[in-house]
Amino acid sequence: MTGPDVTGPDMTDPDMTDPDLTGPQLTGSGVTGTATTHEERDRRGLAVGTLLGVLLLAAGIAVLTPWHPLGADVPVHPDVRQGFTAAEVQRAAAFRDALGAWPYVALVLAVAVPWVVFAVLGRPRRRPARPSAAPVPAAPA
């Protein structure tokens, strides 16, 4: 009587003897002929691609950003009174003073509320312990 037919891959097939497919070769003294696995090469490719993408993004930002949108010889803080009348400047200042701190409160709430909601909804829920299927025998009296 013979056991089940357990045959491995035909090692004479040149495709199956590729070190990348068969993994490291074990000998009595340890591992020899270690080759990078496909997963290691995939990770390396992802890392190189990510680094290249970040470098290209940084180069694109550096080249395409208008660093001097008003021109190189224009001061960074132009005089407001050159573009607006004194009455318009005074009206804008009065409006800003009337608002007070409410715009800042609204900004803080607009950022904080979604964080709190996601923190509450995203936390793992504790499930109550299930009763066991078999009844627990009563202790003898």
Side-chain angles (χ1 to χ4, degrees):
M1 177 176 204
T2 62
D5 184 21
V6 181
T7 58
D10 183 11
M11 296 309 286
T12 59
D13 184 10
D15 291 334
M16 293 306 292
T17 58
D18 182 18
D20 289 343
L21 295 176
T22 59
Q25 303 300 318
L26 297 176
T27 63
S29 62
V31 178
T32 62
T34 57
T36 59
T37 63
H38 294 290
E39 185 175 315
E40 289 172 351
R41 280 189 275 167
D42 289 344
R43 286 183 185 171
R44 188 177 303 134
L46 286 172
V48 169
T50 301
L51 182 62
L52 183 63
V54 168
L55 289 175
L56 286 174
L57 178 65
I61 289 172
V63 170
L64 299 175
T65 298
W67 297 107
H68 301 285
L70 300 176
D73 56 348
V74 177
V76 177
H77 300 289
D79 186 18
V80 175
R81 302 196 191 279
Q82 288 180 351
F84 301 99
T85 65
E88 290 172 331
V89 172
Q90 187 177 10
R91 188 172 49 206
F95 178 73
R96 187 178 57 239
D97 290 339
L99 286 176
W102 288 112
Y104 301 108
V105 171
L107 181 63
V108 168
L109 287 175
V111 172
V113 167
W115 277 99
V116 170
V117 168
F118 286 130
V120 169
L121 294 179
R123 70 178 178 202
R125 291 185 173 83
R126 295 182 187 165
R127 295 185 178 144
R130 288 184 180 174
S132 63
V136 177

